[in-house]
């Protein structure tokens, strides 16, 4: 998982069943990768931004929306989406979460950023308000824009240095500092207008980057330089209405800025609970006499609340108006966020959005004030919204788009009936046109490379070669099908992704619930037992659960195929039950589970600092007499820390074991928080270059010091940092997800070449990741790629598969 949860770094683990990977099997990796890549090459086999697809099948937060040329552009956090008039979705910029290098100067689809503001300029370039203190441009074609030579499809920084601040007016834009841009617009002269919000900590400003030299907004400007046109750094307390905009107090948050037909700037002054206008010239606008360069309120009385529908807009109460738009009739459209409504201030008398309106008055056109998701296909005023943070209007069609971010959707209200986004829509009614309502969860039934995952975690490969993924953040288990056929009760196509357990909601469902309808709680590990049943470490339910492939008796209880059952743990965290029934014991955030050669369940009982076993049948295992269905500690004394090497495993300190697997000899191999990989010998012999006694524990990688060192040298002298996943490949090599080091490392079992690297037996080597967090490198050497907090690793048909915290599953060719 790689994120702090309830005081524990709750990190997912890999699970590998000995014998599951058949020599020469094609596997899910081959189904995804197509032609075999050169050894050591990395590629993505599942996950990413999602799409190309229907826009309604991909998760979308919709925190910023704009229109250009009939297409809708959505600022969707780490990506920018484009929805074409037929409803198809592509991702023209961004392809991962907002970490790692931004990638300026390179392909926009590989850039990393975070945004809630997007526009398209007169040349068709995509302009992005990057919250990391920049304005970026994706060139529509090769040429010179904003004083820079640009290559089509590449991304460039045109304002801001990436550091917060305010450099004042007249500074070269690329050398200026910004507080935190929330939105960007392009005026009729091609100038960039930036809502440079202080995000409540600093005063908000409106700033302009001049496209060419001239006089704009009452100021002489030089091309490529940045100027403040509204707001001041010293808060005056008063709004400044009727006075020069550069002396006004805009509060600490301006959510959006737009340019109206006359060239005036219209802004959502959220902190002041107003919609305001900076007049570009002297005249009468929005029913008020205005003077060039001065600022005026056109909606909101400055008080937080909801009132005023049907009355003068300037007397109405607003609730953190987050966004503003202008329609073709000149009406002002407001995302009244905390009131959970979209409201309109009529520019003139007429019928708009199905309502008769009077000039200068305010009306609700979408949302009934209730929070939630309701009303699609019905009148917009009767619908429920959830955190509407963005509005835009398509000037060509009159369609009003709403970034309904709390519902993870973009919804539209057409002003006239017709066919939009590939569907027949009725005037004044509301419809979802983008987003499936689940954040970072999409793509089931389609190619896995177009699906979205949220914190993919534990991995396993079943006997047919399908890859199973604990999709931790979505509280599901998903499958990448290796071949076309029926698996886990579903018809599957080779290379596609499917959910086989969990419905995408955090929670718990009782025994006997169909697995695909059940609730899980951020599962960390997944495995497949000897008869093909699915085993899930249901971490925050403090349980291990099983989904049988067919009806029968498993783990001492009758089960119906496809339903879910608890086989260890109760609804209480803690430690209890050793020697008793596993279904009556307490576990504490078990991060992983696997199955040994005898069919016993092996559990990484993470916060109990133990490895525990549920016996499948009566017998002696790990040096203990066990009863079927009962649970026993086989490693760890319950105390966090490190001790016990060379002695009985049950007397050792483990320190939060995150991952456990079983090697071909039957030894238990575990990864723990104390930055070591340790082995519990199942029998006396020599393993991993060490003489071991049955039942004793030994360190085979890591010296216990957090950090990174040791590549090319003895594994026991190397530094690891919180390894979260461990597996053993068919050659006997140890595979380690060295999570905080952003690497995957291998301890060679013999001297040979593995994953494209010549290795010496007993030494450790990095096979994926260059140590820097982020996402990069697909198609090139895995050792040069960026990975982010890898939490699971598993071999598949000679390749190495990695859970990458960037929301992807990646493969290193063997």
């Amino acid at each position: 998982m790689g994120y702090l949860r309830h005081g524990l770094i709750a990190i997912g683990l890999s699970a590998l069943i000995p014998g599951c990977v058949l020599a020469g099997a094609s596997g899910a990796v081959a189904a995804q990768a197509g032609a075999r890549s050169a050894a050591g090459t990395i590629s993505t086999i599942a996950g990413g931004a999602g799409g190309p697809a229907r826009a309604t099948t991909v998760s979308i937060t919709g925190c910023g929306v704009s229109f250009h040329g009939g297409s809708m552009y959505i600022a969707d956090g780490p990506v920018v989406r484009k929805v074409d008039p037929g409803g198809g979705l592509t991702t023209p910029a961004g392809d991962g979460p907002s970490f790692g290098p931004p990638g300026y100067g390179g392909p926009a689809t590989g850039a990393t950023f975070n945004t809630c503001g997007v526009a398209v300029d007169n040349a068709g370039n995509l302009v992005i308000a990057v919250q990391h203190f920049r304005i970026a441009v994706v060139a529509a074609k090769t040429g010179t824009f904003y004083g820079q030579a640009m290559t089509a499809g590449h991304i460039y920084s045109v304002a801001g240095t990436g550091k917060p601040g305010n450099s004042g007016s007249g500074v070269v834009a690329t050398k200026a500092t910004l507080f935190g841009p929330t939105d960007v617009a392009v005026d009729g002269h091609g100038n960039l207008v930036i809502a440079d919000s202080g995000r409540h900590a600093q005063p908000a400003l409106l700033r302009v980057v001049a496209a060419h030299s001239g006089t704009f907004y009452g100021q002489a400007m030089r091309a490529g330089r940045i100027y403040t046109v509204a707001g001041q750094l010293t808060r005056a307390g008063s709004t400044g209405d009727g006075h020069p905009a550069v002396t006004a107090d805009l509060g600490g948050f301006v959510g959006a800025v737009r340019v109206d037909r006359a060239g005036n700037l219209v802004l959502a002054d959220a902190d002041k609970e107003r919609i305001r206008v900076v007049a570009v010239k002297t005249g009468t606008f929005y029913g008020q006499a205005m003077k060039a360069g001065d600022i005026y309120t056109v909606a909101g009385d400055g008080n937080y609340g909801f009132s005023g529908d049907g009355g003068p807009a300037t007397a109405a109460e607003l609730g953190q108006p987050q966004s503003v738009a202008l329609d073709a009739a000149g009406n002002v459209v407001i995302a009244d966020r905390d009131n959970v409504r979209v409201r309109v201030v009529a520019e003139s008398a007429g019928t708009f959005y199905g309502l008769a309106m009077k000039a200068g008055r305010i009306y609700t056109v979408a949302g009934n004030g209730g929070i939630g998701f309701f009303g699609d296909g019905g009148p917009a005023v009767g619908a429920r919204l959830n955190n509407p943070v963005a509005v835009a209007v398509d000037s060509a069609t009159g369609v009003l788009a709403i970034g309904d971010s709390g519902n993870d959707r973009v919804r539209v209200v057409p002003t006239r009936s017709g066919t939009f986004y590939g569907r027949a829509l009725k005037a004044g009614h509301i419809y979802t046109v983008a987003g499936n309502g689940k954040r970072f969860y999409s793509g089931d039934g389609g190619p896995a490379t177009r699906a979205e995952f949220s914190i993919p975690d534990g991995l396993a490969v079943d006997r047919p070669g399908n890859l199973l993924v604990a999709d931790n953040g979505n509280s599901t288990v998903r499958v990448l099908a290796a071949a076309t056929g029926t698996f886990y009760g579903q018809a599957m196509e080779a290379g596609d992704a499917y959910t086989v357990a969990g419905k995408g909601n955090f929670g718990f469902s009782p025994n006997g619930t169909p697995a695909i309808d059940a609730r899980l709680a951020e599962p960390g590990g997944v495995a497949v037992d000897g008869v093909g049943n699915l085993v899930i470490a249901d971490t925050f339910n403090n349980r291990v659960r099983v989904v049988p492939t067919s009806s029968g008796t498993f783990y001492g209880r009758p089960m119906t195929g496809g339903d879910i059952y608890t086989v260890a743990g109760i609804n209480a965290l803690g430690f209890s039950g050793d020697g008793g029934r596993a279904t009556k014991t307490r576990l504490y955030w078990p991060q992983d589970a696997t199955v040994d050669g005898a069919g016993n369940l092996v559990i990484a009982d993470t916060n109990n600092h133990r490895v525990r076993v549920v016996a499948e049948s009566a017998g002696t295992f790990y040096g203990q007499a066990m009863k079927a269905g009962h649970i026993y500690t086989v490693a760890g004394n319950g105390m966090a820390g490190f001790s016990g090497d060379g002695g009985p495993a049950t007397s050792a300190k483990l320190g939060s074991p995150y991952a456990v697997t079983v090697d071909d000899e039957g030894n238990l191999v575990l990864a723990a928080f104390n930055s070591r990989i340790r082995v519990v010998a199942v029998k006396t012999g020599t393993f991993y270059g060490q003489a071991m006694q049955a039942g004793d524990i030994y360190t085979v990688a890591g010296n216990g010091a957090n950090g990174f060192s040791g590549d090319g040298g003895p594994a026991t002298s190397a530094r690891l940092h919180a390894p979260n996943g461990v597996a053993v490949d068919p050659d006997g090599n140890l595979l380690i997800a060295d999570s905080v080091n952003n690497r995957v490392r291998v301890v060679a079992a013999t001297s040979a070449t593995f994953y494209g690297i010549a290795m010496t037996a007993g030494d450790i080597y990095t096979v994926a990741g260059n140590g820097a967090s982020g996402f990069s490198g697909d198609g090139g050497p895995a050792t040069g790629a960026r990975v982010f907090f890898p939490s699971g690793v598993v071999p598949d048909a000679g390749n190495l598969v990695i859970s990458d915290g960037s929301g992807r599953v990646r493969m290193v060719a063997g």
Side-chain angles (χ1 to χ4, degrees):
M1 300 170 207
Y3 297 89
L4 286 172
R5 306 286 176 97
H6 310 284
L8 167 75
I9 301 179
I11 302 170
L13 320 165
S14 62
L16 174 65
I17 310 306
C20 279
V21 184
L22 306 178
S26 60
V29 168
Q32 292 299 313
R36 192 169 184 85
S37 299
T41 300
I42 194 168
S43 59
T44 294
I45 61 171
R54 291 287 303 173
T56 48
T57 65
V58 175
S59 64
I60 288 175
T61 59
C63 59
V65 182
S66 65
F67 286 95
H68 181 78
S71 293
M72 180 190 301
Y73 292 84
I74 304 169
D76 191 17
V79 294
V80 174
R81 314 282 198 177
K82 178 182 179 181
V83 182
D84 66 35
L89 177 139
T90 54
T91 303
D95 195 12
S98 53
F99 48 71
Y104 294 121
T109 52
T112 56
F113 51 72
N114 201 35
T115 181
C116 263
V118 63
V120 180
D121 69 15
N122 299 333
N125 302 311
L126 190 61
V127 186
I128 306 167
V130 178
Q131 292 178 9
H132 299 148
F133 319 114
R134 295 180 190 268
I135 301 297
V137 166
V138 179
K141 58 185 178 181
T142 299
T144 299
F145 308 101
Y146 305 100
Q148 296 184 47
M150 298 186 181
T151 299
H154 285 211
I155 190 168
Y156 301 86
S157 176
V158 296
T161 63
K163 296 181 179 180
N166 176 270
S167 303
S169 284
V171 179
V172 174
T174 53
K175 296 181 179 180
T177 52
L178 305 175
F179 278 139
T182 53
D183 197 20
V184 63
V186 183
D187 69 16
H189 301 284
N191 303 313
L192 300 182
V193 185
I194 305 164
D196 191 11
S197 175
R199 297 195 173 276
H200 311 292
Q202 297 288 339
L205 307 172
L206 284 190
R207 306 176 78 183
V208 168
V209 178
H212 53 267
S213 297
T215 299
F216 310 104
Y217 308 101
Q219 298 184 46
M221 299 186 181
R222 294 173 62 185
R225 303 205 171 210
I226 194 167
Y227 300 85
T228 297
V229 295
Q232 55 152 312
L233 294 177
T234 302
R235 289 182 173 172
S238 64
T239 62
D241 272 0
H243 297 283
V246 290
T247 67
D249 181 3
L250 302 184
F253 189 82
V254 170
V257 62
R258 297 290 185 267
V259 183
D260 70 13
R261 293 176 297 179
N264 304 309
L265 304 183
V266 184
L267 58 133
D269 193 353
D271 272 7
K272 295 295 183 180
E273 310 296 350
R274 290 173 163 90
I275 304 300
R276 307 176 76 185
V277 169
V278 179
V280 72
K281 58 185 177 183
T282 299
T284 299
F285 309 103
Y286 306 100
Q288 298 183 46
M290 298 187 181
K291 183 180 177 183
D294 286 1
I295 193 167
Y296 302 85
T297 294
V298 295
D301 67 357
N303 294 310
Y304 178 90
F306 174 74
S307 70
D309 264 8
T314 52
E317 290 180 324
L318 303 176
Q320 283 284 291
Q322 195 82 7
S323 183
V324 65
L326 292 310
D327 67 18
N331 303 311
V332 179
V333 183
I334 305 165
D336 196 0
R337 188 192 70 181
D338 287 5
N339 286 320
V340 206
R341 293 171 167 91
V342 175
R343 304 171 81 181
V344 167
V345 179
E347 166 68 1
S348 58
T351 299
F352 309 104
Y353 308 97
L355 299 174
M357 299 186 182
K358 294 182 179 179
R361 303 205 169 195
I362 193 168
Y363 304 84
T364 294
V365 297
N368 63 10
I371 299 173
F373 176 72
F374 172 78
D376 262 14
V381 291
R384 287 192 174 195
L385 307 174
N386 188 355
N387 200 32
V389 296
V391 285
V393 182
D394 186 347
S395 59
T397 63
V399 169
L400 164 63
I402 305 165
D404 194 5
S405 68
N407 284 320
D408 297 312
R409 292 171 166 92
V410 175
R411 303 168 80 181
V412 298
V413 181
T415 54
R416 58 181 174 83
S417 298
T419 299
F420 309 101
Y421 306 103
R423 300 168 57 190
L425 307 184
K426 186 176 179 181
H429 286 212
I430 193 167
Y431 305 85
T432 294
V433 295
N436 61 12
K438 296 186 177 183
R439 191 164 300 184
F440 308 123
Y441 183 27
S442 72
D444 274 357
T449 49
R450 296 183 183 178
E452 289 176 296
F453 290 72
S454 179
I455 318 177
D457 211 329
L459 303 172
V461 180
D462 66 14
R463 289 188 181 276
N466 303 307
L467 181 67
L468 293 105
V469 183
D471 191 358
N472 174 275
N474 285 319
S475 291
T476 61
V477 174
R478 301 173 79 181
V479 168
L480 280 60
T484 298
T486 299
F487 308 103
Y488 306 98
Q490 297 185 46
M492 298 186 182
E493 295 285 335
D496 288 358
Y498 301 86
T499 295
V500 295
K503 61 187 298 182
N505 303 101
F506 183 100
F508 176 76
S509 298
N511 289 333
T513 303
I516 57 173
D517 294 327
R519 293 190 175 202
L520 304 176
E522 298 179 17
V526 63
V528 182
D529 69 15
V531 295
N533 300 319
L534 180 61
V535 180
I536 305 166
D538 194 3
T539 302
F540 291 117
N541 279 322
N542 299 297
R543 293 172 169 94
V544 175
R545 307 173 81 182
V546 167
V547 181
T549 55
S550 59
S551 298
T553 299
F554 308 103
Y555 305 99
R557 68 177 305 154
M559 299 184 182
T560 300
D563 289 354
I564 195 166
Y565 299 86
T566 296
V567 294
I570 60 175
N571 187 28
L573 54 80
F575 175 75
S576 70
D578 261 9
R581 298 291 304 180
T583 51
K584 295 183 178 180
T585 193
R586 289 190 178 199
L587 305 176
Y588 198 160
W589 295 344
Q591 293 289 331
D592 199 16
T594 189
V595 184
D596 68 16
N600 304 310
L601 286 180
V602 184
I603 304 167
D605 194 0
T606 306
N607 261 27
N608 280 323
H609 312 294
R610 290 174 165 93
V611 175
R612 304 173 80 181
V613 166
V614 179
E616 166 64 4
S617 57
T620 299
F621 309 103
Y622 307 99
Q624 299 183 48
M626 298 186 181
K627 294 180 180 180
H630 288 216
I631 192 167
Y632 304 85
T633 293
V634 296
N637 64 9
M639 298 178 66
F642 171 76
S643 72
D645 264 6
T650 51
S651 299
K653 292 182 181 180
L654 298 187
S656 300
Y658 292 138
V660 63
T661 191
V662 183
D663 69 16
D664 287 337
E665 299 290 344
N667 303 308
L668 301 185
V669 185
L670 57 105
F673 184 70
N674 49 34
S675 294
R676 290 175 169 90
I677 305 299
R678 303 176 81 182
V679 168
V680 180
V682 73
K683 58 187 176 183
T684 299
T686 299
F687 310 105
Y688 306 98
Q690 299 184 44
M692 299 186 182
Q693 293 289 323
D696 288 358
I697 192 167
Y698 303 85
T699 294
V700 294
N703 64 10
N706 289 334
F708 173 75
S709 71
D711 267 7
T716 51
S717 299
R719 288 190 177 195
L720 307 174
H721 200 168
N724 288 271
V726 64
V728 183
D729 72 14
D731 294 307
N733 303 310
L734 282 180
L735 312 178
I736 305 167
D738 194 2
S739 303
V740 178
N741 281 326
N742 300 302
R743 291 174 165 94
V744 175
R745 303 172 81 180
V746 168
V747 180
T750 57
S751 296
T753 298
F754 305 105
Y755 311 104
I757 297 173
M759 301 186 183
T760 300
D763 288 355
I764 192 168
Y765 302 84
T766 294
V767 295
N770 63 11
S773 67
F775 169 72
S776 72
D778 271 3
T783 52
R786 288 183 180 236
V787 298
F788 179 72
F789 211 100
S791 59
V793 61
V794 70
D796 183 18
N799 305 297
L800 185 155
V801 184
I802 306 164
S803 289
D804 190 322
S806 67
R808 296 168 172 84
V809 179
R810 303 174 79 182
M811 179 267 283
V812 179

